[in-house]
Amino acid sequence: MSYTFAISPFMKHLFADEMVVGLFSVGQDLAALLAFEVDLARAQEKCGVIPSGMSRKIETAIDKVKVVENEFEAGLARDGVVVPIMVSTLKAAMNPEDARYVHFNTTSQDAIDTSLMLRALPAMGGIYKNVQALEERLTELAKKFGSCKLMGRTRMQQALPITVGHRLDSWKYNIETAALSIQRLSYPVQLSGPVGTYRDEKVQKALAKALGLSVPTHSWQNERGPVLALGNACAGLTGALGKIGADIALMAQNELAEIKIAGGGTSSAMAHKKNPVKAENLVSLARLNASLLSALHNAAIHEQERSGAAWTLEWLVLPQMICAAAGAVHMAHALLQSVESIGT
Amino acid sequence: MSYTFAISPFMKHLFADEMVVGLFSVGQDLAALLAFEVDLARAQEKCGVIPSGMSRKIETAIDKVKVVENEFEAGLARDGVVVPIMVSTLKAAMNPEDARYVHFNTTSQDAIDTSLMLRALPAMGGIYKNVQALEERLTELAKKFGSCKLMGRTRMQQALPITVGHRLDSWKYNIETAALSIQRLSYPVQLSGPVGTYRDEKVQKALAKALGLSVPTHSWQNERGPVLALGNACAGLTGALGKIGADIALMAQNELAEIKIAGGGTSSAMAHKKNPVKAENLVSLARLNASLLSALHNAAIHEQERSGAAWTLEWLVLPQMICAAAGAVHMAHALLQSVESIGT
Amino acid sequence: MSYTFAISPFMKHLFADEMVVGLFSVGQDLAALLAFEVDLARAQEKCGVIPSGMSRKIETAIDKVKVVENEFEAGLARDGVVVPIMVSTLKAAMNPEDARYVHFNTTSQDAIDTSLMLRALPAMGGIYKNVQALEERLTELAKKFGSCKLMGRTRMQQALPITVGHRLDSWKYNIETAALSIQRLSYPVQLSGPVGTYRDEKVQKALAKALGLSVPTHSWQNERGPVLALGNACAGLTGALGKIGADIALMAQNELAEIKIAGGGTSSAMAHKKNPVKAENLVSLARLNASLLSALHNAAIHEQERSGAAWTLEWLVLPQMICAAAGAVHMAHALLQSVESIGT
Amino acid sequence: MSYTFAISPFMKHLFADEMVVGLFSVGQDLAALLAFEVDLARAQEKCGVIPSGMSRKIETAIDKVKVVENEFEAGLARDGVVVPIMVSTLKAAMNPEDARYVHFNTTSQDAIDTSLMLRALPAMGGIYKNVQALEERLTELAKKFGSCKLMGRTRMQQALPITVGHRLDSWKYNIETAALSIQRLSYPVQLSGPVGTYRDEKVQKALAKALGLSVPTHSWQNERGPVLALGNACAGLTGALGKIGADIALMAQNELAEIKIAGGGTSSAMAHKKNPVKAENLVSLARLNASLLSALHNAAIHEQERSGAAWTLEWLVLPQMICAAAGAVHMAHALLQSVESIGT
């Protein structure tokens, strides 16, 4: 029982999608924050809000600045957010008259929320692609085994005979619903200033375009719809995969033997065992996300213009949820790849 | 601390929307279940699946049948679901050759799930209407007080001055996002038979039309997207209203005095107090739904063709969530109606 | 899907322990609140805090007062708590110079919290007794079937042969741990006044004795240890019973046929089925309480001297949790009573 | 928003107790697992269960074995648990006739559960010590400011004047209750074999003694009382500290100015601000643990002799909860250290 499933040297192979976990590393967070600052300056230049040439100067400062990790840590510990120390470090590397155009008209939350979306976008994109691969694998399985016989079961009891195809269809429907929620997600830029009143349509549009994000209809500093939608989609996906995992663990029971899986976990004590590890873990991840989702919805209560307590709670929860979703798709894919036969 | 907030003679006035609570009464549940049986027979008649005249006979049987509550209770306690006893009671009131066309080609879950949607539809419709009234009230308040001054606050500290209009806008955005989720909900009929394999497009279409529900693209007996969407929307709404409640409770602090509310709760011990009861309770309901949502997502794992454990868990959770959402809108409306002034 | 499981005319037979549900009725809540007021006056008389004879006068007032439900409801809706209207109604039924000794030195939360404990005590007592009956039933089953063979299963796979007795022992350990948590609960009186500073050891002791409650070492108006302990114990119990339910649902699978249960739920569509309804529902109740527990722990954050938002959240959650625990024990007992054989 | 709060180079200074986080590193997990294997062999030798000298040979093998991380990862990914690959690696480093005494009479779960307790013990011990330091700090603050004036507040409104001492007492009561739960925890060894039937009192006792753990009264492979108790205690503690955090964030509001804190977070956009970051984060951690607790109670349903799905869910949740508790105590201590004055 080591600390975190997604970055533990051990657990990561069990649970994690390395690409997605990587997106939520400190390195990529910082990179996204700096991209925000540069592209913001660029957009502001373009719209004549700040003098031309500033974005280039900021880029130069970034190259010069050696991220002094200890300093950044101390800043974060003091400020609760890494942006103030990052901005002041950048400013210190520029001449004073230019320095004022760093982080211009904006605030920590704009940078942090945008950085989240900059990484959620490829993360959910990668997940979506893997979900599609999963659907393809289901189609393959349906071609091979769809007409095989299976006992239909309701309330854990034999009900009426069905085909394997019917069971596979129900898995596909679960996945498709989850995929639809992912497709509907939006990844808005945040650019609303210290108390959410800053709104420069042109700059916002230019910034969103540069970053590949969407333009929100309003500040979401204290309206966390986009964050909740991400969480709902992740929990929806892990739930769908948890259903498949639970089914497979039941089908793999020796007396039912409705599915044959290559590999399977070995036991330290019983050489004859083949444990449906991945199927079980899909259930674990589904229940993890179901509980984390309640924390995320508790975090919807962003008091006043911007909340520290609710916002930080999101940080503790959402990256985990996305990583759990990514890991679950990976694991489900590996599991379905290893299916040798279903039904009779 | 009495048992249930929504139907306690006391608590209901505090928390409940009586129309919505009524929809989840046993009486309306039964009525919806019987409507399903009659309209199913009618649709099957129309499509030539069962002999003509059967739906009329079922209606007659319903009129004859005196619901013997004790019997129904005993049936439910045995079967875990009220449909078997309801169906056998209906059948017993008809002659045997007709009786076989009662509940034809269908199963308990079809009836129960459809009954849920038959009531969720007007419930969420009522909630949506009240949400719109709430938005109108916010528009009114913005007209009256929108240009008044307010201190913008971030991380619980004075940040920069804003207008009351800006704060009201953030409330409106929260509500609009929640309203959008409600608008996007679908209320599909369920007609998939004992193991989810029954699919008669024509009958399903006719049934859905008669009941005012939508036609699902697939069986949702073990793909609970529509149920999760309902829960997500309810939690989204109570979260949005919880944010407003938290803001108002903070604004109503004596030293801040940023809002003036008529009425307010009296205290049993301190005559001078005016408690922002409704604002606080909006927070309570938001947190209730956030937690219940985790139970609903745990219930997404419907094992095999149909699950008893997961399905029943939905029953314990979803009606509460809808009632909490309905009650919160009601309370928020009353609270905003009682606002006498905001800002300075 | 009707509103509430514990008082729905239908669901109550499925899920509820009527004694315990009754304890959380409005009637018993009011009775407990009035008992608090009378016994408080009696204790204060005894300690010379208020003039002798006052408690008798309050009792007389209670007899005179016809609880006007509508008025109480309106009071509750305004005040967020029923005590102010209850106290003012009592006072209005007395002459003014006596009336001031009603609800003397105390506050709404003292009355409500004490009323909770007055009912939690017999509720948990009843539950504990039923847990013991359950343990006896397990002992009986062990006598009958303990030496029968059963396949030991780990990670849902056949592991090594065990005896039925070993499986029953694991159920007993689960129940015993839960029982121990119940035994360790304390049911303190609350008597701390409007802002938690009131502490009259003698009066408190006399009141606690009269009501059969314990004397707390400190005000728990904003230290909700006793409430969390109740919730933890209820979730612990439903979890333990959920484990038994999950096991039985697995054992009852047709191919395993490791348990034979009399009765079992009938199906509306498949005459041959015998559904392990009670076993499944034990799982449902376990997951319900697991989620509600997160709401209760969120409610631990009672800001300042007394919180409205957190306190009300407790009301929405704890009675449900206790009723779910009580219902689960009932159901588990019925389930184990109906066991006809286990193992081979 | 980087992946994990406890080991992120940034977040760790904000949230983490490094000693406790270290205990849940892979390195310490492995070390504990190997300690289990060696001490088990030693105990079995002592009791004559395996030939004398074996434990020494296992130690030698451990020294020889270079942990090949990739291999271990692959094993974990296949088996869902690291023990099989660890054991087979050890065995491969010994001669065959000795190798059979490695991991003798035991199973993966025995090793993993014992490793958890081996680290939970110092983790909770460290937390307890820090809780005591916190109590001392509260005593200090009470000496300095206890008699200062503060407005007592109920339902977020001015109620009656109190002293600072009274508010500090309520914080102390919250902490004491949490501390009591920690004191009552037990840290049992697990030694129950593949299906929970192995019980050698002497070996168990000797092993427990060697490892500094307690002797359980029964197998807890599928009775997770000790795990739930850990989770309950962690959530109880973070809840208690969340209450203090919420109070301080409210007290630090500019208009109330009831507390003066040195430092405070700086803002990237508003130079005048001093954000009560640590106070807010205590609330975040409280809500995180409240939600994670529901996952842990969902994991109480360990089906049959040993569950993969439920057990793995514990891994995803419990280390986080302990780290959150440890981090919260640290942060609370730093916060209270920085208090310059309270009240007037």
Side-chain angles (χ1 to χ4, degrees):
Chain A
M1 223 190 232
S2 298
Y3 178 64
T4 36
F5 70 92
I7 51 182
S8 149
F10 285 177
M11 303 286 252
K12 72 183 179 193
H13 280 253
L14 183 57
F15 288 118
D17 174 318
E18 289 192 47
M19 187 276 278
V20 172
V21 171
L23 283 166
F24 291 96
S25 68
V26 169
Q28 300 224 25
D29 191 0
L30 252 189
L33 291 170
L34 293 170
F36 168 84
E37 300 292 352
V38 172
D39 279 331
L40 173 61
R42 219 171 265 149
Q44 288 171 330
E45 263 178 58
K46 202 173 134 187
C47 301
V49 175
I50 64 171
S52 153
M54 284 303 143
S55 62
R56 176 65 54 99
K57 287 179 182 177
I58 295 173
E59 276 187 298
T60 309
I62 289 172
D63 288 342
K64 266 198 294 186
V65 165
K66 202 184 131 39
V67 174
V68 185
E69 211 176 77
N70 284 342
E71 253 176 46
F72 270 41
E73 286 172 17
L76 181 69
R78 182 188 63 234
D79 305 329
V81 61
V82 79
V83 177
I85 185 74
M86 181 188 84
V87 168
S88 62
T89 305
L90 275 185
K91 287 185 173 184
M94 297 169 70
N95 66 51
E97 57 272 38
D98 293 340
R100 51 188 292 253
Y101 297 113
V102 176
H103 198 66
F104 192 72
N105 273 349
T106 191
T107 195
S108 295
Q109 191 170 349
D110 290 344
I112 297 274
D113 283 355
T114 301
S115 163
L116 166 67
M117 287 302 165
L118 275 172
R119 292 167 299 135
L121 177 65
M124 300 309 295
I127 289 172
Y128 185 75
K129 237 176 89 179
N130 290 338
V131 166
Q132 285 180 308
L134 206 60
E135 291 188 58
E136 277 163 37
R137 177 61 186 153
L138 284 177
T139 305
E140 265 174 51
L141 288 172
K143 266 185 204 152
K144 273 197 200 168
F145 309 110
S147 57
C148 294
K149 285 179 198 166
L150 195 69
M151 178 50 71
R153 296 172 193 275
T154 63
R155 304 196 85 133
M156 305 277 283
Q157 290 290 300
Q158 290 183 356
L160 297 170
I162 58 171
T163 62
V164 167
H166 179 59
R167 177 71 62 88
L168 292 175
D169 275 348
S170 75
W171 294 356
K172 211 177 58 184
Y173 299 144
N174 271 275
I175 291 172
E176 282 174 354
T177 298
L180 199 63
S181 295
I182 295 174
Q183 267 186 305
R184 283 183 182 157
L185 290 172
S186 71
Y187 306 88
V189 79
Q190 181 79 278
L191 186 62
S192 312
V195 288
T197 51
Y198 175 62
R199 189 160 181 89
D200 182 322
E201 301 274 353
K202 277 188 193 161
V203 171
Q204 199 184 40
K205 218 169 169 174
L207 176 62
K209 199 179 164 188
L211 295 170
L213 300 178
S214 68
V215 178
T217 56
H218 56 261
S219 163
W220 51 283
Q221 285 181 347
N222 61 5
E223 185 289 287
R224 308 304 283 172
V227 170
L228 293 179
L230 274 167
N232 291 345
C234 288
L237 178 56
T238 45
L241 300 175
K243 186 261 184 294
I244 298 176
D247 278 357
I248 291 179
L250 287 167
M251 294 165 88
Q253 290 173 103
N254 308 72
E255 287 84 353
L256 277 66
E258 295 171 337
I259 196 165
K260 218 175 141 185
I261 297 169
T266 59
S267 157
S268 71
M270 293 166 285
H272 63 282
K273 286 198 72 187
K274 284 208 170 196
N275 294 320
V277 171
K278 288 186 177 64
E280 292 172 296
N281 288 342
L282 289 175
V283 175
S284 312
L285 290 173
R287 300 209 187 281
L288 175 70
N289 267 0
S291 281
L292 290 173
L293 188 60
S294 75
L296 203 67
H297 277 262
N298 265 297
I301 303 178
H302 272 247
E303 73 277 354
Q304 298 163 332
E305 274 54 70
R306 299 198 283 115
S307 166
W311 193 36
T312 310
L313 180 53
E314 291 177 9
W315 306 353
L316 301 176
V317 166
L318 187 60
Q320 276 193 75
M321 293 188 76
I322 296 176
C323 289
V329 187
H330 246 270
M331 209 184 306
H333 195 260
L335 177 60
L336 291 182
Q337 282 300 124
S338 67
V339 168
E340 294 178 338
S341 72
I342 320 182
T344 54
Chain B
M1 225 190 233
S2 299
Y3 179 64
T4 35
F5 70 93
I7 50 180
S8 149
F10 283 176
M11 304 285 252
K12 73 182 179 194
H13 280 253
L14 185 55
F15 289 117
D17 175 317
E18 290 194 46
M19 185 276 276
V20 172
V21 172
L23 283 166
F24 290 96
S25 68
V26 168
Q28 299 224 26
D29 192 0
L30 251 190
L33 290 170
L34 294 170
F36 168 84
E37 300 292 352
V38 171
D39 278 331
L40 173 61
R42 219 172 263 149
Q44 288 170 328
E45 262 179 57
K46 206 173 130 185
C47 300
V49 175
I50 62 171
S52 153
M54 283 304 143
S55 64
R56 176 64 55 95
K57 285 178 182 176
I58 295 173
E59 276 189 297
T60 309
I62 289 171
D63 288 342
K64 265 199 293 187
V65 166
K66 202 184 135 32
V67 174
V68 184
E69 212 176 76
N70 284 343
E71 251 176 46
F72 270 40
E73 287 171 17
L76 180 68
R78 183 187 62 234
D79 306 328
V81 60
V82 78
V83 176
I85 185 76
M86 182 189 83
V87 168
S88 62
T89 306
L90 275 185
K91 288 184 171 183
M94 295 170 70
N95 66 52
E97 59 270 38
D98 294 340
R100 53 188 289 256
Y101 297 113
V102 177
H103 198 68
F104 192 72
N105 274 349
T106 191
T107 194
S108 296
Q109 191 170 348
D110 289 345
I112 296 275
D113 282 354
T114 301
S115 163
L116 166 67
M117 286 301 166
L118 276 172
R119 292 167 301 134
L121 177 65
M124 299 310 293
I127 289 172
Y128 185 75
K129 238 176 89 178
N130 290 338
V131 167
Q132 285 180 310
L134 205 60
E135 291 189 60
E136 278 166 36
R137 178 59 185 155
L138 283 178
T139 305
E140 263 176 50
L141 288 172
K143 266 186 204 152
K144 274 198 199 168
F145 308 110
S147 57
C148 292
K149 286 177 198 166
L150 196 68
M151 177 50 71
R153 295 170 194 276
T154 63
R155 302 196 86 132
M156 305 278 284
Q157 290 290 299
Q158 290 183 358
L160 298 170
I162 57 170
T163 61
V164 166
H166 180 58
R167 176 72 62 88
L168 292 176
D169 276 348
S170 74
W171 294 356
K172 212 177 58 184
Y173 300 142
N174 270 276
I175 292 172
E176 283 173 355
T177 298
L180 200 63
S181 295
I182 296 174
Q183 266 186 304
R184 282 183 183 158
L185 291 171
S186 70
Y187 306 88
V189 78
Q190 181 79 278
L191 186 62
S192 311
V195 287
T197 51
Y198 175 63
R199 188 158 179 92
D200 182 324
E201 300 274 351
K202 277 190 192 162
V203 170
Q204 198 184 41
K205 216 167 170 178
L207 175 62
K209 198 179 165 187
L211 295 171
L213 300 178
S214 67
V215 177
T217 57
H218 55 262
S219 164
W220 50 284
Q221 285 181 347
N222 60 5
E223 186 287 289
R224 307 304 281 173
V227 169
L228 293 180
L230 274 167
N232 290 346
C234 288
L237 179 56
T238 46
L241 300 175
K243 186 261 182 292
I244 298 176
D247 278 356
I248 291 180
L250 287 167
M251 295 166 87
Q253 289 173 104
N254 309 73
E255 287 84 354
L256 276 67
E258 296 173 335
I259 197 165
K260 218 176 140 186
I261 296 169
T266 59
S267 156
S268 72
M270 293 165 285
H272 64 282
K273 287 198 70 188
K274 284 209 167 193
N275 294 321
V277 172
K278 287 185 178 65
E280 292 172 295
N281 288 341
L282 288 175
V283 176
S284 312
L285 290 173
R287 300 210 187 280
L288 175 69
N289 266 1
S291 281
L292 290 174
L293 187 61
S294 74
L296 203 67
H297 277 262
N298 265 297
I301 304 177
H302 271 247
E303 76 278 354
Q304 297 162 331
E305 275 54 71
R306 299 197 283 113
S307 166
W311 193 36
T312 309
L313 180 53
E314 291 177 9
W315 305 354
L316 301 177
V317 166
L318 187 60
Q320 275 193 75
M321 292 189 76
I322 296 176
C323 288
V329 188
H330 244 270
M331 210 182 308
H333 196 260
L335 176 60
L336 291 182
Q337 283 299 125
S338 68
V339 168
E340 292 179 339
S341 73
I342 319 182
T344 54
Chain C
M1 223 190 235
S2 299
Y3 177 63
T4 35
F5 70 92
I7 52 181
S8 149
F10 282 175
M11 304 285 254
K12 73 183 179 195
H13 281 253
L14 184 55
F15 289 117
D17 175 318
E18 290 193 47
M19 186 276 276
V20 172
V21 172
L23 282 166
F24 290 96
S25 68
V26 169
Q28 299 224 27
D29 191 1
L30 252 189
L33 290 169
L34 293 169
F36 168 84
E37 300 292 351
V38 171
D39 279 331
L40 173 61
R42 218 171 264 148
Q44 288 171 329
E45 262 179 57
K46 205 173 133 188
C47 301
V49 176
I50 63 171
S52 151
M54 283 303 142
S55 63
R56 177 63 57 96
K57 284 178 183 177
I58 294 172
E59 276 188 297
T60 310
I62 288 172
D63 289 342
K64 266 200 295 187
V65 165
K66 200 184 134 37
V67 174
V68 185
E69 212 177 75
N70 284 342
E71 251 176 47
F72 270 41
E73 287 172 18
L76 180 69
R78 184 188 61 235
D79 305 329
V81 60
V82 76
V83 176
I85 186 75
M86 182 189 83
V87 168
S88 62
T89 304
L90 276 185
K91 287 185 171 183
M94 295 170 70
N95 67 53
E97 59 270 37
D98 293 341
R100 54 187 289 254
Y101 297 113
V102 176
H103 197 67
F104 192 72
N105 274 349
T106 190
T107 194
S108 295
Q109 191 170 348
D110 289 345
I112 297 275
D113 282 354
T114 302
S115 163
L116 166 67
M117 287 301 166
L118 275 172
R119 291 167 300 133
L121 177 65
M124 299 309 294
I127 288 172
Y128 185 75
K129 238 177 89 180
N130 290 338
V131 167
Q132 286 180 308
L134 206 59
E135 291 188 58
E136 279 166 35
R137 177 61 185 154
L138 283 177
T139 305
E140 264 176 50
L141 288 172
K143 267 186 204 151
K144 274 198 199 168
F145 308 110
S147 56
C148 293
K149 286 178 198 165
L150 195 67
M151 177 50 70
R153 295 170 195 275
T154 64
R155 302 196 87 133
M156 305 278 285
Q157 291 289 300
Q158 291 183 358
L160 298 169
I162 57 170
T163 61
V164 167
H166 179 59
R167 177 72 62 88
L168 292 175
D169 275 348
S170 75
W171 294 358
K172 211 178 60 184
Y173 300 143
N174 270 276
I175 291 172
E176 283 173 355
T177 298
L180 199 63
S181 294
I182 295 174
Q183 265 186 306
R184 281 182 183 158
L185 291 171
S186 71
Y187 306 88
V189 79
Q190 181 78 277
L191 186 63
S192 311
V195 288
T197 51
Y198 176 61
R199 189 161 179 90
D200 182 325
E201 301 274 352
K202 277 188 191 162
V203 170
Q204 198 185 41
K205 217 168 169 178
L207 175 62
K209 199 180 164 187
L211 295 171
L213 299 178
S214 68
V215 178
T217 57
H218 55 261
S219 164
W220 50 285
Q221 284 181 346
N222 60 4
E223 186 288 290
R224 307 305 283 173
V227 169
L228 293 179
L230 274 166
N232 290 346
C234 288
L237 178 56
T238 46
L241 300 175
K243 187 258 183 295
I244 298 176
D247 278 356
I248 291 179
L250 287 167
M251 294 166 87
Q253 291 173 102
N254 308 73
E255 286 85 354
L256 277 67
E258 296 172 337
I259 197 166
K260 217 175 142 184
I261 296 169
T266 60
S267 156
S268 71
M270 294 165 284
H272 63 282
K273 287 197 70 188
K274 283 207 169 197
N275 294 319
V277 172
K278 287 186 177 64
E280 292 173 295
N281 288 341
L282 289 175
V283 175
S284 312
L285 290 173
R287 300 209 187 280
L288 175 69
N289 266 1
S291 281
L292 290 173
L293 187 61
S294 75
L296 203 67
H297 277 262
N298 264 297
I301 304 177
H302 272 246
E303 75 278 354
Q304 298 163 331
E305 275 54 70
R306 299 198 282 115
S307 167
W311 193 35
T312 309
L313 180 53
E314 291 177 9
W315 306 352
L316 301 177
V317 166
L318 187 59
Q320 274 193 75
M321 293 188 76
I322 297 175
C323 288
V329 187
H330 245 269
M331 209 182 308
H333 196 260
L335 176 60
L336 291 183
Q337 282 299 125
S338 67
V339 168
E340 293 180 338
S341 72
I342 319 182
T344 54
Chain D
M1 224 190 232
S2 298
Y3 178 63
T4 37
F5 72 93
I7 51 181
S8 150
F10 284 176
M11 304 286 253
K12 72 183 179 195
H13 281 252
L14 185 55
F15 289 118
D17 175 318
E18 290 192 46
M19 185 277 277
V20 172
V21 171
L23 282 166
F24 291 97
S25 68
V26 169
Q28 299 225 26
D29 191 2
L30 252 190
L33 290 169
L34 293 170
F36 167 85
E37 300 293 351
V38 171
D39 278 332
L40 174 61
R42 218 171 265 148
Q44 288 171 329
E45 263 177 57
K46 203 174 135 187
C47 301
V49 175
I50 63 172
S52 155
M54 285 302 144
S55 62
R56 176 65 55 99
K57 287 178 182 177
I58 294 172
E59 275 187 300
T60 309
I62 289 172
D63 288 341
K64 267 199 294 187
V65 165
K66 201 183 133 37
V67 173
V68 185
E69 212 176 75
N70 284 341
E71 250 176 48
F72 270 41
E73 287 172 17
L76 181 68
R78 182 188 63 234
D79 306 328
V81 60
V82 78
V83 177
I85 186 74
M86 182 189 82
V87 168
S88 61
T89 304
L90 276 185
K91 288 185 171 182
M94 296 170 69
N95 67 51
E97 58 271 40
D98 293 339
R100 53 188 288 256
Y101 297 113
V102 176
H103 197 67
F104 192 72
N105 273 350
T106 190
T107 194
S108 295
Q109 191 169 350
D110 289 346
I112 296 274
D113 283 354
T114 302
S115 163
L116 165 67
M117 287 301 167
L118 274 173
R119 292 167 299 134
L121 176 66
M124 300 308 295
I127 290 173
Y128 185 75
K129 237 176 88 178
N130 290 338
V131 166
Q132 285 180 309
L134 206 60
E135 292 188 57
E136 277 165 36
R137 178 61 185 153
L138 284 177
T139 305
E140 265 175 50
L141 288 172
K143 266 186 205 152
K144 274 200 200 166
F145 309 110
S147 57
C148 293
K149 285 178 199 166
L150 195 69
M151 177 51 70
R153 295 172 194 276
T154 62
R155 303 198 85 133
M156 305 277 284
Q157 291 289 300
Q158 290 183 358
L160 298 169
I162 58 171
T163 61
V164 167
H166 179 58
R167 176 72 62 87
L168 292 175
D169 276 347
S170 74
W171 295 356
K172 212 178 57 184
Y173 299 143
N174 270 275
I175 292 171
E176 284 173 354
T177 299
L180 200 63
S181 295
I182 295 174
Q183 267 187 304
R184 282 184 183 155
L185 291 171
S186 70
Y187 306 88
V189 80
Q190 181 79 277
L191 186 62
S192 311
V195 288
T197 51
Y198 176 61
R199 190 161 180 88
D200 183 323
E201 301 274 350
K202 276 188 193 162
V203 171
Q204 198 182 42
K205 218 169 170 176
L207 175 62
K209 199 179 164 188
L211 295 170
L213 300 178
S214 67
V215 177
T217 56
H218 55 261
S219 164
W220 50 284
Q221 285 181 345
N222 60 5
E223 186 287 288
R224 307 305 282 173
V227 170
L228 294 179
L230 273 167
N232 290 346
C234 288
L237 178 56
T238 46
L241 300 175
K243 187 260 184 294
I244 297 175
D247 279 357
I248 291 179
L250 287 167
M251 294 166 88
Q253 291 173 102
N254 309 72
E255 287 85 353
L256 277 67
E258 296 172 336
I259 196 164
K260 217 174 141 184
I261 297 169
T266 59
S267 157
S268 72
M270 295 166 283
H272 63 281
K273 287 198 72 187
K274 285 207 169 196
N275 294 319
V277 171
K278 287 187 178 64
E280 293 173 294
N281 288 342
L282 289 174
V283 175
S284 312
L285 290 173
R287 300 209 187 280
L288 175 69
N289 266 1
S291 281
L292 290 174
L293 188 61
S294 74
L296 204 67
H297 277 262
N298 265 297
I301 304 178
H302 272 245
E303 75 276 354
Q304 299 163 331
E305 273 56 70
R306 299 197 284 115
S307 166
W311 193 36
T312 309
L313 180 53
E314 291 177 9
W315 305 354
L316 302 178
V317 166
L318 187 60
Q320 276 193 75
M321 293 189 75
I322 296 176
C323 288
V329 187
H330 245 269
M331 209 183 309
H333 195 260
L335 177 60
L336 291 182
Q337 283 299 124
S338 67
V339 169
E340 293 179 338
S341 72
I342 320 182
T344 54

